[in-house]
Amino acid sequence: MKILDASKLSDLADTLAGAGYRVVVPVQDGDRVRYAEWSPGATIRTDAFPVNSAKDFLFPRSEVIDRYQLDGDDFTPLEVRPPAPRTVLLAVRPCDAASLAMLDTIFNWDYEDDLYNARRAATTVVPLVCTRADAQCFCTSVGGAPDSSAGADALLHPADGGSRLILEPLTDKGKALVEAAGGALADGKAAPDAPADVPARFDPDKVRAWLADNFEADLWDLLSYACLGCGACAYACPTCHCFDMQDEATRTESVRLRNWDSCGFALFTKHAGGHNPRPDQAARWRNRVMHKFSYIPERFDLVGCTGCGRCARLCPAGMAMLEACTRIEEEARKAPAHES
Amino acid sequence: MSPDTESAAAPTREHRNIYQPIPMTVADRRDETADVRTLRLEFPGDAERTRFFEAYRVGQFGLYGMPGQGECVFCVASPPTRTDAIECTFRQAGRVTAALRDREVGQRITFRGPYGNHFPIEQWKGKNLLFVAGGIALPPLRAVIWNILDRRDEFGKVAILYGARTVADLVYKHELAEWDARDNVDLVQTVDPGGETDDWRGKIGFVPAVLEEVAPKPADTIALVCGPPIMIKFTLPVLAKLGFPAADTYTTLENRMKCGVGKCGRCNVGHLYVCKDGPVFTVEQLKAMPHADM
Ligand code: FES
């Protein structure tokens, strides 16, 4: 059994960085904790929920997807080399690892996005089992678990009352990482701690059945009333993948950028002619819920939400996906539709 | 982040990058109306041309762009039976369309495609076809019409009803004359009341009303309808009343698109991606869609 002292996680990060990995870990950043690239001296924090999700490192907020040299009325395509550094997502949440199934699917379900795939192939995923959860956590309602190994190449288990960590490799990438960790891990024995108790709060199949029949329900106004359309939920969400494509140019060069976008923004679906098929915030919030709990399940047999609760922790208006889903389930119980 | 770490694994021009278009040369350009233009586009080489025409089926769309400006979605307005170039027809409505419109013969634009689904014309062999189009929405049907006319013997009767606000708003005027002159095509043209000129020989009236008057019998007939939303709205009930089944009536949907390949999440109507499951839908499919989303 490979173990290390919980206080030595930064030594492991140092060793892996020395072995050529870009090490992504939850670190203290001002008064918040966020996933960031490890640098010596940073403080690793596994006891607080990071505000961002691990998707930042596979599907960056903004990236160059095409480049041209502009020559007056003509142009010359230039080489595009999106970086795909060897990366380890270390001590991320199991819900972050679980979200990769969704991203892998979207970026490959028909056309294969090699920009994403190159980074994904170079990434080793090492989640840390959660021994504590907060009121916004609901992974168990959407098929996850605080000790889930879904999407993981290796799993870190807190052990011996939190004083140690067990590193359990699960795939070849995980084994290679253990190899690279060398002396930062010791052979020994430790007793794994119990995972957090996360009670299931709703049944996504019931939510999905209600959604199928209630595109026009009055409940949407109520559920979305507080929404400011700021998009913070989408940026923090590990599965939100909507993006915009924008050109930026000087006189001599242009780049095409892929930038995160959100169906919560008013301009997201607005046509050039002025018509907007989703004219108000209720229509936009409905799309967010429908997409995750109806459209994605229908097409990909996945739930488009991992229950991480980031959107609720970050929402300036206090809205919560968990609350929306439990409310919808309540509604479904009131008027039992034809269950599918 | 150091950009060069393991960059050997990263996609380059030699690697596949689904967002990278190919350059196309403007071989010809024509003004259809005061603000609608057609560009004829040649492929950079035979390899690109062959790759395109192996994939292309009528009804599909592409993304046409100018580096530094962005990309726009239009249908491919020429049929897969004409394989030396492609055409697109568009109205200038913004920055990108303005840039495309300003391209001169010999200059280049970018193109990605073909994307989306297509009209199932192979299933229509031996059937009659009724085309109903309004205004700037003729291009997608024009591609089908030429596709059918280039393989004329394989299909039954062809009837076309095309209307616009005014005579000046009719696109593809040369081709309308050509279809009109054929005895194996039944073309009816109409303009809205007040939109006629002194020498106008077509009908005067809105498309739905004229359709009711001139439509062929629905038996063994596929109907294709493309036009502004208001025209579609009033034309579909007429087709239903005349007995055209919703499952045999086709239209195309437009939504905002960016990627065209089912990734950016922008184009969905309910659980359907217009860029993947569309742009071609039957009216039966349309009826099952959440209308508030369109
Ligand atoms: S245009 Fe991007 S998903 Fe359809």
Side-chain angles (χ1 to χ4, degrees), chain B residues 56 58-59 76-81 138-148:
Chain B
Y56 174 47
V58 77
V76 179
S78 51
T81 37
L138 184 56
L141 293 191
R142 177 237 199 183
V144 190
I145 292 169
W146 280 124
N147 201 168
I148 299 289

Side-chain angles (χ1 to χ4, degrees), chain A residues 20 22 37 57 65-68 70 72-86 105-115 118 122 215-216 241-249 254-256 258 261 263 267-273 275-279 283 286-287 291 294-296 298-300, chain B residues 1-24 60 63 65-71 93-95 103-104 106-110 112-116 229 254-256 258-273 275-277 290-294:
Chain A
R22 173 176 69 148
E37 200 176 327
F57 302 90
I65 57 175
D66 208 1
R67 278 174 72 212
Y68 294 88
L70 303 180
D73 280 323
D74 202 18
F75 52 85
T76 311
L78 298 175
E79 195 178 39
V80 178
R81 281 183 165 237
R86 187 152 69 125
T105 301
I106 246 328
F107 286 117
N108 288 285
W109 71 279
D110 192 336
Y111 295 86
E112 290 169 12
D113 186 323
D114 284 3
L115 288 77
F215 193 85
E216 306 283 1
H241 59 269
C242 287
F243 59 82
D244 190 11
M245 286 162 67
Q246 284 292 339
D247 282 23
E248 281 180 8
S254 77
V255 292
R256 186 155 294 155
R258 153 158 81 185
D261 206 340
C263 63
L267 294 179
F268 187 67
T269 49
K270 192 167 178 189
H271 294 195
H275 170 67
N276 193 344
R278 297 190 202 126
R286 173 181 59 199
N287 183 70
H291 194 206
S294 174
Y295 306 156
I296 289 174
E298 186 146 333
R299 185 169 291 258
F300 302 122
Chain B
M1 171 190 313
S2 64
D4 280 318
T5 325
E6 294 229 333
S7 56
T12 64
R13 280 284 169 191
E14 294 77 53
H15 288 70
R16 224 152 29 98
N17 175 343
I18 52 173
Y19 307 104
Q20 275 172 347
I22 55 170
M24 302 281 275
Q60 290 189 289
L63 283 125
M66 268 305 293
Q69 304 294 331
E71 294 180 310
R95 196 173 64 150
R103 295 284 88 189
E104 286 173 27
Q107 293 183 337
R108 301 194 300 170
I109 69 164
T110 68
R112 295 192 279 135
Y115 293 147
E254 279 176 26
N255 240 2
R256 258 197 97 189
K258 284 286 175 173
C259 72
V261 289
K263 315 265 181 247
C264 77
R266 191 172 307 262
C267 67
N268 70 298
V269 177
H271 71 279
L272 296 171
Y273 288 85
C275 73
K276 287 299 312 169
D277 306 305
H291 274 265
D293 229 18
M294 290 165 59

